[in-house]
Amino acid sequence: MSSTSFEPRGDKQAVEEGLRFSPKFDTDGLIPAVALDATTKEPLMLAYMNAESLRLTLEKGEAVYWSRSRREIWHKGATSGHVQRVREIRTDCDQDAIVLYVEQIGAGACHTGRSGCFYRRIDGPDGSMSLTEDGRRFDPGAVYGKS
Amino acid sequence: MSSTSFEPRGDKQAVEEGLRFSPKFDTDGLIPAVALDATTKEPLMLAYMNAESLRLTLEKGEAVYWSRSRREIWHKGATSGHVQRVREIRTDCDQDAIVLYVEQIGAGACHTGRSGCFYRRIDGPDGSMSLTEDGRRFDPGAVYGKS
């Protein structure tokens, strides 16, 4: 679709030093996107975008992902109200990853009821984990209508 | 290899609320890993780990990735000296992504000579970009022996 096309990718120099966005999508047509809280800089979530959702994100100024499980465009917060207002969007040297600095509307980004998805630290090679201080901020059942 | 195995994944409740690390690798055997500066919280890079590199990261306390282009274990900084000392490692709700808080040794994480890879912001739907304040910190040619 022409509405979701981006610049064709040039050579290494153009990709790394140029100022035209030419994202590289993987073989599934996806690019990983990391949402960081624009204020606290805490990592909120890592999700994926296809060309259409990336274009919609740029147009709406709100994060729009591609749901790999539901195989559909996923306008984050469309049902819960917990939208992510995009304050800044960046790409990396080879333009195959996205960072979003967002204002998370509502109590949190994670479907488990927490502000972000990265609420557990791995303590060592034995695979034990512990919770960070990021406890539940909202009741997922009340927000999403399921427990 | 038994040395790189992790916990088998349990049900949704165990994956999301449990305190045993059971990472989900994609069909290529990889999991995305986002390195954040432990001090500034700036995003440094997004790369991938396979089970062996993830295990090595946990054992060494330094970031070890899987190079998709070279198809080999990539101990970041092994040649440049710019290793990433892992201060904390987290996983997300469905355990299919990793966040590393690292102390970046040397001037920067990015092979272009910058502190991190996300040095360009996308200004709008037209795909124009601008540089962030993150200019070159080192000469890639001097560090990596090529321009």
Side-chain angles (χ1 to χ4, degrees):
Chain A
M1 289 175 282
S2 63
S3 66
T4 59
S5 66
F6 290 95
E7 292 274 315
R9 284 169 68 85
D11 62 13
K12 182 178 166 73
Q13 171 75 14
V15 167
E16 294 183 353
E17 300 297 333
L19 296 178
R20 297 297 305 172
F21 185 41
S22 52
K24 182 177 182 181
F25 298 94
D26 67 16
T27 52
D28 294 322
L30 302 178
I31 189 169
V34 182
L36 304 176
D37 186 292
T39 304
T40 67
K41 295 189 176 180
E42 286 290 321
L44 296 177
M45 56 188 284
L46 187 151
Y48 295 84
M49 294 180 177
N50 63 3
E52 185 183 358
S53 61
L54 179 50
R55 174 69 68 190
L56 287 168
T57 298
L58 290 167
E59 289 175 354
K60 289 179 185 292
E62 293 183 349
V64 180
Y65 303 101
W66 172 258
S67 169
R68 296 181 300 169
S69 56
R70 298 192 302 273
R71 302 195 60 77
E72 64 182 22
I73 293 287
W74 168 30
H75 182 182
K76 171 77 176 164
T79 53
S80 69
H82 296 186
V83 299
Q84 295 178 329
R85 290 191 187 137
V86 177
R87 295 300 179 216
E88 187 169 310
I89 177 167
R90 295 190 187 187
T91 192
D92 67 346
C93 47
D94 47 5
Q95 301 200 37
D96 65 358
I98 298 288
V99 161
L100 308 166
Y101 285 101
V102 305
E103 178 190 355
Q104 176 65 59
I105 305 301
C110 185
H111 77 288
T112 66
R114 297 172 176 96
S115 66
C117 298
F118 294 92
Y119 49 84
R120 288 171 297 187
R121 69 173 65 88
I122 304 157
D123 295 321
D126 73 345
S128 60
M129 299 198 291
S130 52
L131 293 169
T132 67
E133 70 290 348
D134 187 12
R136 283 207 165 114
R137 310 292 179 90
F138 62 93
D139 173 7
V143 171
Y144 300 112
K146 59 185 178 182
S147 61
Chain B
M1 289 174 282
S2 63
S3 66
T4 59
S5 66
F6 289 96
E7 292 274 316
R9 284 170 68 86
D11 61 14
K12 182 179 167 72
Q13 170 73 15
V15 167
E16 294 184 351
E17 300 297 333
L19 296 177
R20 296 297 304 173
F21 184 41
S22 51
K24 182 177 182 181
F25 297 95
D26 67 16
T27 52
D28 293 322
L30 303 177
I31 189 169
V34 183
L36 304 176
D37 186 292
T39 304
T40 67
K41 295 188 176 180
E42 286 291 321
L44 297 177
M45 56 188 284
L46 187 151
Y48 295 84
M49 295 181 177
N50 64 2
E52 185 182 358
S53 61
L54 179 50
R55 173 69 68 189
L56 287 168
T57 298
L58 290 168
E59 289 175 354
K60 289 179 186 294
E62 293 184 352
V64 180
Y65 302 101
W66 173 257
S67 169
R68 295 180 302 170
S69 57
R70 298 192 304 272
R71 301 194 61 76
E72 63 182 21
I73 293 286
W74 168 29
H75 182 181
K76 171 78 177 164
T79 53
S80 68
H82 295 185
V83 298
Q84 296 179 328
R85 291 190 186 138
V86 178
R87 294 302 180 215
E88 187 168 310
I89 176 168
R90 296 190 188 186
T91 193
D92 67 345
C93 47
D94 47 5
Q95 300 199 38
D96 64 358
I98 298 288
V99 161
L100 308 166
Y101 285 101
V102 305
E103 179 190 354
Q104 176 66 59
I105 305 301
C110 185
H111 77 286
T112 66
R114 298 172 175 95
S115 67
C117 299
F118 294 92
Y119 49 85
R120 288 171 296 188
R121 69 173 65 87
I122 305 157
D123 295 322
D126 74 344
S128 60
M129 299 198 290
S130 53
L131 293 169
T132 67
E133 70 290 349
D134 188 11
R136 284 210 164 112
R137 311 292 179 89
F138 63 93
D139 174 6
V143 171
Y144 301 113
K146 59 185 179 183
S147 61

